[in-house]
Amino acid sequence: MDENNTYFTYYTIEKGDNLYEISKKYNINPKLLAAINGIKDNEYIYPGQELIIPKSGYSYYITAEGDTLSGVTEAFRTSTDNMLRYNKTIYLLPDQILVYKNQSL
């Protein structure tokens, strides 16, 4: 199974779209949407461009310089094993997207 199909859906930008409206439609923070797609939140988007949209029920984290696995697992309040279950490879290089499935308490 393609990991991206599990955690993301895809949206093709149409004429007149903007990140704020797309974010609102999918109930996601515009800054997170931009970051996951490797663009700035005020950057021009164009028709035909494809965005990945995070699916609900998961948490997403974009790694930064100096992140550690223990720091990330602490932020998610989970174990290293659980992080590895949802992420095939964790490099901890800046801008890697890490996924964790939200658990009901």
Side-chain angles (χ1 to χ4, degrees):
M1 177 193 300
D2 180 3
E3 183 178 288
N4 284 339
N5 288 336
T6 303
Y7 308 130
F8 301 99
T9 191
Y10 298 88
Y11 179 80
T12 302
I13 296 170
E14 298 174 0
K15 186 176 181 180
D17 279 345
N18 64 58
L19 279 180
Y20 176 77
E21 290 299 323
I22 296 168
S23 299
K24 193 171 155 185
K25 177 179 179 179
Y26 287 97
N27 194 30
I28 181 174
N29 181 298
K31 289 187 183 298
L32 177 61
L33 179 61
I36 284 176
N37 283 281
I39 58 178
K40 294 182 175 122
D41 59 340
N42 61 352
E43 192 171 321
Y44 177 76
I45 57 174
Y46 52 91
Q49 183 179 359
E50 190 171 67
L51 297 177
I52 57 173
I53 309 289
K55 289 185 177 180
S56 62
Y58 295 94
S59 292
Y60 300 85
Y61 180 80
I62 300 170
T63 57
E65 183 83 32
D67 275 343
T68 63
L69 188 54
S70 64
V72 173
T73 56
E74 243 179 69
F76 280 119
R77 295 186 178 145
T78 190
S79 68
T80 300
D81 288 343
N82 281 337
M83 285 301 293
L84 291 170
R85 178 205 251 161
Y86 294 101
N87 300 277
K88 284 184 188 177
T89 307
I90 300 177
Y91 295 108
L92 292 175
L93 296 172
D95 300 324
Q96 181 183 10
I97 300 169
L98 297 178
V99 178
Y100 176 71
K101 184 164 178 54
N102 297 336
Q103 305 290 323
S104 354
L105 299 175

